[in-house]
């Protein structure tokens, strides 16, 4: 099926012409060794909402981890806690530190 429109323009619902060449210029094509990725341009609102969502998730995670570290340190330093509770707190702190080191080292390998 061919078009009678030589300027590559179509009309939208309101009847205004759409320049398909301009739409094609806004598409970003990334070539990778294994696959092709086609991305359409994102608006500033979409970009800022994604950044805001990532920042809020990061802050919530850091707050929860900070609370757990504080709780574990208080458990270890208290004279009223049992030896089993202190072992549990030490194991939890070890897990948190190991997770942080793994996250940082994995992040640096991805960035390279």
């Amino acid at each position: 099926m061919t078009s009678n429109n030589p300027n590559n323009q179509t009309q939208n619902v309101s009847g205004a012409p759409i320049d398909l060449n301009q739409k094609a210029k806004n598409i970003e094509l990334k070539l990778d060794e294994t696959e092709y990725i086609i991305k359409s341009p994102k608006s500033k609102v979409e970009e800022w909402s994604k950044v805001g969502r990532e920042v809020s998730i990061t802050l919530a995670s850091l707050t929860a981890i900070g609370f757990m570290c504080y709780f574990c340190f208080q458990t270890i330093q208290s004279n009223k806690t049992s030896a089993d509770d202190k072992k549990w707190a030490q194991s939890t702190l070890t897990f948190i530190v190991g997770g942080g080191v793994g996250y940082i080292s994995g992040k640096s390998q991805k960035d390279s």
Side-chain angles (χ1 to χ4, degrees), residues 8-51:
N8 285 333
Q9 291 184 349
T10 59
Q11 294 180 348
N12 61 9
V13 176
S14 65
I18 300 172
D19 186 6
L20 297 179
N21 288 327
Q22 183 62 31
K23 292 281 186 189
K25 289 179 185 176
N26 291 335
I27 294 176
E28 178 182 344
L29 176 63
K30 289 187 176 183
L31 298 176
D32 193 6
E33 294 175 1
T34 58
E35 62 185 46
Y36 299 104
I37 301 171
I38 299 175
K39 293 184 177 181
S40 61
K42 294 183 179 178
S43 68
K44 293 292 182 186
V45 174
E46 288 175 325
E47 290 177 6
W48 279 105
S49 65
K50 183 178 178 182
V51 169

Side-chain angles (χ1 to χ4, degrees), residues 4 8-9 13 21 27 30-31 35 44 48 56 59 66 78 81-82 86 90-91 99 104-105 111-112:
N4 293 334
N8 285 333
Q9 291 184 349
V13 176
N21 288 327
I27 294 176
K30 289 187 176 183
L31 298 176
E35 62 185 46
K44 293 292 182 186
W48 279 105
S56 63
L59 289 176
S78 175
T81 57
S82 67
K86 289 183 180 186
Q90 288 174 346
S91 297
I104 291 171
S105 64
D111 293 340
S112 298

Side-chain angles (χ1 to χ4, degrees), residues 65-83 85-90 92-93 96:
I65 291 170
F67 175 75
M68 285 300 297
C69 288
Y70 173 77
F71 181 72
C72 289
F73 280 123
Q74 291 298 321
T75 303
I76 292 170
Q77 293 177 350
S78 175
N79 294 332
K80 298 179 183 179
T81 57
S82 67
D85 289 340
K86 289 183 180 186
K87 287 179 185 177
W88 172 85
Q90 288 174 346
T92 303
L93 283 175
I96 291 171

